[in-house]
Amino acid sequence: MQRKKPYLQPYWWRLLFRANGTAAWEAMGRGPLIPVPNAALTRAPLEVWADALLEEAPYELEDLHGDLLLECYAEPAVTDGTPPVYSRQVRLPGK
């Protein structure tokens, strides 16, 4: 009997940055939404992948001062008002 592969829900993400003293969020990275790697989702839930990505951010972006906002969506094209399935904001300490 052949075993079925588990179904993986695809997700897309974007990273936004808000510099100290500004109100507007600006998109970082390539394109509007980036696919979450399927390999990452086979090992852990979306929240675990997203939290790990944000844990590395202060070290990767040490020259930035402000906030990061990670938003994950269940569809590749979103409109204004589409709520993310997961979001988390972190403060960048900067130097």
Side-chain angles (χ1 to χ4, degrees), residues 44-72:
L46 175 66
E47 296 82 3
V48 173
W49 171 83
D51 289 347
L53 181 77
L54 287 173
E55 284 178 22
E56 292 297 318
Y59 305 106
E60 299 287 328
L61 303 170
E62 64 185 31
D63 57 329
L64 296 179
H65 304 272
D67 298 297
L68 283 180
L69 176 62
L70 176 67
E71 295 180 328
C72 300

Side-chain angles (χ1 to χ4, degrees), residues 3-56:
R3 298 178 88 190
K4 288 186 176 184
K5 293 182 180 181
Y7 171 77
L8 292 177
Q9 165 69 46
Y11 293 102
W12 290 263
W13 64 282
R14 67 179 173 189
L15 193 59
L16 305 168
F17 173 68
R18 180 175 60 195
N20 285 342
T22 64
W25 291 96
E26 294 183 29
M28 297 181 73
R30 59 176 205 257
L33 292 174
I34 303 165
V36 173
N38 284 336
L41 297 173
T42 61
R43 294 187 296 272
L46 175 66
E47 296 82 3
V48 173
W49 171 83
D51 289 347
L53 181 77
L54 287 173
E55 284 178 22
E56 292 297 318

